[in-house]
């Protein structure tokens, strides 16, 4: 039986005077009012060891994306709740906008998964060893790593998505994540070509794509709550 999910962005401020290219506009990228229909798959055997497995097929991909969006939303929540000293008004607004986007993405995936299965990834706990939230350089370096990883994750996972509705929204979300990545890179190296550096753009002029196993390995240092994804050979 299909279930329709409607996600609202009420309360989220998505505009910024300097970086209008970060806006999520109209029906294109705002997930407010987006309806996604999914067939519930309630036959799920929870592992005996109590460690959550992301699942199979599209459910696994959705839980994977949800894990990454939880991480990004958690990180930016900490950033905006304790801005580093000397932050400019432009940088402050940029981080607020990114924070709002990531919260919308996180909540979208939670709603979408709930419409597809009763086995939704729990709320994860994270750790930020070596990250100094009072340091601009530390925050920008961590943000750059998370955003670049997020873009590569969506690019690499797209080929595994079967439901075209999910694939379309994943494409819309990854375009926003790429805007985040380029904005952060521009803050680190203003006016340079770093926003599209050859470390994230391949020889064909395309964004780098990475397999889930490589992404989990890269992001694993931040994730405190254990989980597996046996379909992808993780855990």
């Amino acid at each position: 039986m299909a279930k329709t999910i409607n996600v609202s962005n009420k309360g989220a401020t998505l505009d910024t005077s300097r970086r209008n290219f970060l806006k999520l506009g109209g029906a294109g990228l705002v997930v407010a009012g987006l309806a996604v229909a999914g067939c519930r798959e309630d036959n799920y055997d929870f592992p005996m060891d109590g460690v959550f497995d992301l699942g199979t097929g599209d459910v696994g991909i959705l839980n994977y994306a949800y894990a990454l969006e939880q991480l990004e939303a958690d990180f930016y929540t900490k950033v905006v709740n304790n801005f580093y000293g000397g932050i400019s008004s432009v940088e402050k607004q940029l981080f607020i906008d990114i924070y709002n986007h990531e919260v919308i993405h996180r909540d979208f995936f939670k709603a979408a998964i709930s419409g597809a299965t009763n086995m939704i990834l729990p709320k994860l706990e994270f750790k930020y060893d070596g990250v100094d939230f009072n340091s601009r350089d530390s925050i920008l370096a961590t943000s750059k790593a998370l955003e670049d990883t997020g873009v590569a994750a969506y690019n690499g996972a797209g080929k595994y998505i079967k439901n075209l509705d999910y694939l379309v929204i994943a494409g819309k979300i990854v375009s926003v994540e790429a805007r985040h990545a380029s904005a952060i890179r521009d803050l680190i190296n203003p006016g340079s070509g770093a926003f599209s550096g050859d470390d994230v753009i391949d020889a064909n002029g395309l964004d780098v794509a990475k397999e889930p196993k490589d992404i989990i390995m890269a992001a694993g240092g931040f994730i405190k709550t254990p989980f597996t994804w046996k379909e992808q050979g993780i855990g």
Side-chain angles (χ1 to χ4, degrees):
M1 178 179 180
K3 180 179 179 180
T4 299
I5 306 100
N6 292 287
V7 182
S8 173
N9 70 332
K10 182 179 181 181
T13 301
L14 302 179
D15 199 3
T16 171
S17 58
R18 182 170 182 263
R19 299 184 183 277
N20 287 325
F21 65 91
L22 280 177
K23 293 199 305 182
L24 304 184
L29 295 176
V30 177
V31 296
L34 176 69
V36 175
C39 294
R40 293 190 63 86
E41 300 176 6
D42 292 331
N43 295 323
Y44 185 101
D45 294 324
F46 199 84
M48 295 299 292
D49 58 8
V51 176
F52 188 91
D53 187 82
L54 298 186
T56 61
D58 285 348
V59 168
I61 297 296
L62 291 175
N63 270 318
Y64 169 57
Y66 181 41
L68 297 176
E69 295 296 353
Q70 281 195 54
L71 170 56
E72 290 186 307
D74 185 80
F75 172 73
Y76 288 112
T77 295
K78 288 178 169 56
V79 171
V80 301
N81 283 338
N82 181 35
F83 285 119
Y84 50 79
I87 187 171
S88 69
S89 59
V90 170
E91 291 182 9
K92 183 179 291 188
Q93 186 61 58
L94 175 62
F95 279 118
I96 290 173
D97 286 344
I98 294 177
Y99 157 77
N100 281 322
H101 298 173
E102 301 299 2
V103 168
I104 289 173
H105 296 169
R106 180 199 64 195
D107 292 349
F108 165 77
F109 280 110
K110 183 177 181 179
I113 299 166
S114 297
T117 178
N118 64 347
M119 296 308 300
I120 180 171
L121 180 70
K123 181 178 179 181
L124 301 176
E125 291 185 45
F126 303 99
K127 56 184 178 180
Y128 300 95
D129 299 338
V131 179
D132 182 357
F133 283 90
N134 295 312
S135 165
R136 180 180 186 272
D137 289 345
S138 183
I139 291 303
L140 289 179
T142 305
S143 180
K144 174 177 173 289
L146 291 177
E147 296 297 345
D148 288 349
T149 298
V151 174
Y154 278 101
N155 289 338
K159 63 186 178 184
Y160 297 114
I161 300 174
K162 304 300 182 184
N163 185 312
L164 294 182
D165 289 330
Y166 295 151
L167 185 59
V168 168
I169 192 59
K172 292 178 178 180
I173 291 177
V174 72
S175 71
V176 178
E177 299 291 352
R179 296 181 190 193
H180 294 171
S182 64
I184 294 299
R185 283 168 164 261
D186 187 58
L187 285 182
I188 296 173
N189 295 296
S192 72
F195 73 95
S196 60
D198 58 12
D199 57 331
V200 288
I201 305 296
D202 66 22
N204 297 313
L206 301 175
D207 273 329
V208 169
K210 294 184 178 180
E211 289 294 310
K213 182 178 289 188
D214 297 324
I215 295 297
I216 295 300
M217 184 178 296
F222 295 102
I223 302 173
K224 187 175 181 180
T225 306
F227 60 80
T228 63
W229 193 5
K230 295 177 181 178
E231 184 180 54
Q232 290 289 333
I234 297 171

